[in-house]
Amino acid sequence: MFSTFSLGVCGRKIRRGLTAFTLLVFCLVILCPAREAGAITLSEEKELGKKFVGMLRKSMPLVEDGEVLTYVRSVGNRVAKEVGITTYQFQFFVVDQPIPNAFAVPGGYIFIYSGLIEMMSSEDELAGILSHELAHIQARHLQRTIDETKIASIGMVAGLVAGILLGAPGLAAGGLAATQSAQLQYSRAHEMEADQFGFRFLCASGYDPGAMPAMMAKLLDRTYLQSSKVPSYLATHPALQERVQYLSEMVKKQKTSSSRKALRPVNGDFKVMQATLIAEYSDEARALDRFQAGIKKGDNVAQFGLGRLYLRQNKWSEAVEQLRLAARLIPSSPFVLSTLADAYHRVGKLEEAQSTLASALVLDPSAAIAHFRLAMVLMDMGKKDEALDHLMQIEELAPMFPEVDYQLGILLGQADKLGLAHYHLGLYYYHKDNKELAISHFKKAKSLITDSAVKIDEINADLKELEPKKKGFFH
């Protein structure tokens, strides 16, 4: 239902992560008291989502590379603008696991696996997957499932969602087995609805609608290659063949529709983002062979990938040389320029790093990671006011990239803006799951901020979430 794709290919590392996550879910189930039957409220759904995100952060390896995260976020946000009025603030994460999978967690959180991104051919296909997951959230499929199956406790909800995410419906506790056939039916209905709504979002955002069935076809081919039997995890979803068929029909109708929207250009850095994932997170020997083979074929992106791999291996001079070559070959890429600037910064060439990042921001003034890297360079150059300005421009990036809040806390403290400094440090430790330090900084911020009722309300909400509760669904 919430998990869109999984082909059941899990190695030992992945199994260990899922086992840890399973244990965490059972702890949540045990700690959740019973509630009256009926659908959970929106606030309860968001609270549940936060809990699951916290568990996932602890039990599954996440990609932390700034360029990758901001790229995926930019694509997701482009589609999310077409969702319309929503109560959610969507957040996007990349899981460092080589399986083709993606899922949406209640409350607006979307996770996509590096293995699925590596299978893609274009930004349009990435947008298609994210569109589908956004549709799951916007349609509140979890809330509807709870209402339809009359689940009576948040603990049961935790078990149900964990079972779906892990591909093990039997994980759900409290007698959910009796409703499995109903859940299967609802899951299929929800998947079709998510495809339909997601397709609408994809078209409205100017991406190629054909990318959605194309991605399904790739997954179908992968399934057949791996096994003649469809994995049991896909039993709760419509057959991929069925989805390819009806989505292809939707593409045909859309192309002949008089109201269809023109395709809008993509940012052109999809292949560069893929190369970054491979260079930073895959086996180093495999990545080296892949990039060297690509260079022999004249692949400019492979030149970049090799430079990025050298950065991972701390081969600074080789990285600078290779990334300078990549920047000449791909001059219109702010992604490549930002990475080259990172290499310059690491070898102490601050002026070169500053000018390179300035060029990246000319190409894309909204490039969040370029703003962050420039702030770090400016801090080292002693230009703290300019650094603070760049960080303030990307403040909303912090939930996905907590280092933004940390650096804001440092700079604001040095500027004697102690209330805001403690506020951002509180947010940093909140996202790092250090409750003690988060609470300490939030309380200091609350005592020092006197001119912003909005900030005080935000702090009170965070403290309510962090401090022990005597009553409620989560302890």
Side-chain angles (χ1 to χ4, degrees):
M1 187 188 326
F2 288 97
S3 186
T4 309
F5 310 109
S6 177
L7 301 182
V9 185
C10 294
R12 291 180 181 177
K13 178 180 177 182
I14 297 171
R15 292 183 188 279
R16 285 197 297 269
L18 295 182
T19 299
F21 181 68
T22 303
L23 292 173
L24 284 166
V25 168
F26 274 118
C27 290
L28 178 58
V29 171
I30 291 169
L31 292 174
C32 290
R35 70 192 296 273
E36 294 182 3
I40 63 173
T41 66
L42 180 62
S43 62
E44 290 168 354
E45 180 186 334
K46 290 182 177 181
E47 189 175 357
L48 178 66
K50 286 183 180 179
K51 291 293 180 182
F52 271 98
V53 170
M55 292 184 205
L56 288 163
R57 282 183 181 275
K58 292 178 180 178
S59 60
M60 302 180 77
L62 297 180
V63 169
E64 296 181 348
D65 180 81
E67 277 97 356
V68 171
L69 291 178
T70 52
Y71 181 93
V72 172
R73 175 178 176 267
S74 69
V75 175
N77 284 345
R78 174 170 162 177
V79 176
K81 288 179 181 178
E82 306 304 328
V83 170
I85 298 174
T86 179
T87 59
Y88 300 104
Q89 292 183 328
F90 299 110
Q91 295 182 33
F92 304 89
F93 301 86
V94 179
V95 180
D96 177 22
Q97 289 188 354
I99 59 177
N101 195 17
F103 59 83
V105 170
Y109 306 94
I110 293 171
F111 291 78
I112 184 166
Y113 286 58
S114 58
L116 185 57
I117 294 176
E118 285 195 35
M119 286 181 62
M120 297 174 178
S121 302
S122 67
E123 181 178 315
D124 299 276
E125 291 180 355
L126 173 60
I129 297 299
L130 297 180
S131 297
H132 177 96
E133 298 303 332
L134 283 164
H136 270 312
I137 294 171
Q138 184 66 6
R140 295 197 72 195
H141 282 154
L142 175 63
Q143 186 268 355
R144 289 162 59 183
T145 299
I146 295 167
D147 186 39
E148 291 160 353
T149 55
K150 308 301 180 187
I151 298 174
S153 79
I154 295 294
M156 289 184 179
V157 176
L160 171 63
V161 178
I164 292 166
L165 297 187
L166 298 180
L171 179 66
L176 287 182
T179 64
Q180 286 303 302
S181 60
Q183 289 170 17
L184 179 61
Q185 179 182 353
Y186 298 139
S187 178
R188 285 175 171 163
H190 291 169
E191 285 295 326
M192 181 173 289
E193 185 175 52
D195 281 338
Q196 293 170 342
F197 287 170
F199 183 83
R200 188 185 309 163
F201 302 154
L202 186 68
C203 293
S205 57
Y207 284 108
D208 179 7
M212 190 172 277
M215 194 66 223
M216 298 291 180
K218 287 182 181 180
L219 287 161
L220 182 63
D221 291 342
R222 177 79 169 263
T223 303
Y224 285 144
L225 285 172
Q226 290 186 343
S227 173
S228 59
K229 180 181 178 182
V230 176
S232 60
Y233 187 52
L234 291 177
T236 58
H237 302 73
L240 285 174
Q241 182 65 59
E242 176 189 346
R243 298 174 75 178
V244 171
Q245 183 175 351
Y246 70 64
L247 283 168
S248 297
E249 290 299 319
M250 290 167 65
V251 172
K252 290 179 182 178
K253 291 180 181 179
Q254 193 274 340
K255 287 183 176 180
T256 59
S257 171
S258 59
S259 61
R260 67 174 179 169
K261 292 191 175 182
L263 299 182
R264 301 210 309 261
V266 298
N267 68 26
D269 272 338
F270 179 80
K271 293 294 184 181
V272 175
M273 183 272 293
Q274 269 188 328
T276 300
L277 272 178
I278 294 166
E280 192 67 27
Y281 294 95
S282 67
D283 177 76
E284 291 184 29
R286 169 178 168 267
L288 180 62
D289 290 344
R290 180 165 176 167
F291 293 139
Q292 288 179 336
I295 290 171
K296 289 180 180 179
K297 297 177 182 178
D299 182 359
N300 292 342
V301 173
Q303 298 279 0
F304 166 82
L306 183 58
R308 186 60 195 250
L309 180 61
Y310 286 150
L311 271 184
R312 176 183 176 182
Q313 296 173 333
N314 299 328
K315 297 178 179 178
W316 311 123
S317 59
E318 293 95 329
V320 169
E321 180 181 357
Q322 195 66 36
L323 289 170
R324 288 178 64 184
L325 173 60
R328 289 197 295 270
L329 294 171
I330 318 174
S332 62
S333 171
F335 199 131
V336 172
L337 290 175
S338 175
T339 306
L340 171 59
D342 182 35
Y344 279 141
H345 192 186
R346 296 192 195 196
V347 297
K349 295 184 176 182
L350 299 184
E351 291 185 359
E352 289 91 337
Q354 181 184 14
S355 63
T356 302
L357 287 165
S359 297
L361 288 170
V362 168
L363 291 171
D364 181 8
S366 65
I369 194 61
H371 280 290
F372 178 78
R373 293 200 190 287
L374 184 52
M376 297 301 97
V377 171
L378 291 168
M379 284 178 67
D380 285 350
M381 297 175 77
K383 301 176 180 179
K384 296 179 181 179
D385 289 342
E386 292 180 47
L388 182 58
D389 178 63
H390 284 282
L391 287 176
M392 293 299 289
Q393 293 184 55
I394 57 170
E395 184 179 352
E396 79 284 351
L397 183 66
M400 185 176 64
F401 196 43
E403 190 68 16
V404 172
D405 270 323
Y406 181 80
Q407 296 299 338
L408 276 170
I410 298 300
L411 284 176
L412 287 165
Q414 292 174 351
D416 203 29
K417 298 178 180 179
L418 298 181
L420 287 176
H422 283 295
Y423 170 73
H424 284 285
L425 289 173
L427 288 174
Y428 171 77
Y429 288 112
Y430 175 86
H431 291 302
K432 288 294 185 178
D433 202 35
N434 188 327
K435 292 185 178 181
E436 183 177 349
L437 283 177
I439 290 171
S440 174
H441 281 291
F442 280 141
K443 287 184 175 179
K444 289 177 182 177
K446 187 176 177 179
S447 68
L448 292 168
I449 295 175
T450 59
D451 58 350
S452 176
V454 173
K455 279 286 188 290
I456 295 299
D457 288 342
E458 291 175 358
I459 292 170
N460 285 333
D462 289 329
L463 286 172
K464 182 179 178 182
E465 171 69 22
L466 288 165
E467 292 179 321
K469 302 176 184 179
K470 295 180 180 180
K471 296 181 180 181
F473 298 120
F474 302 105
H475 292 253

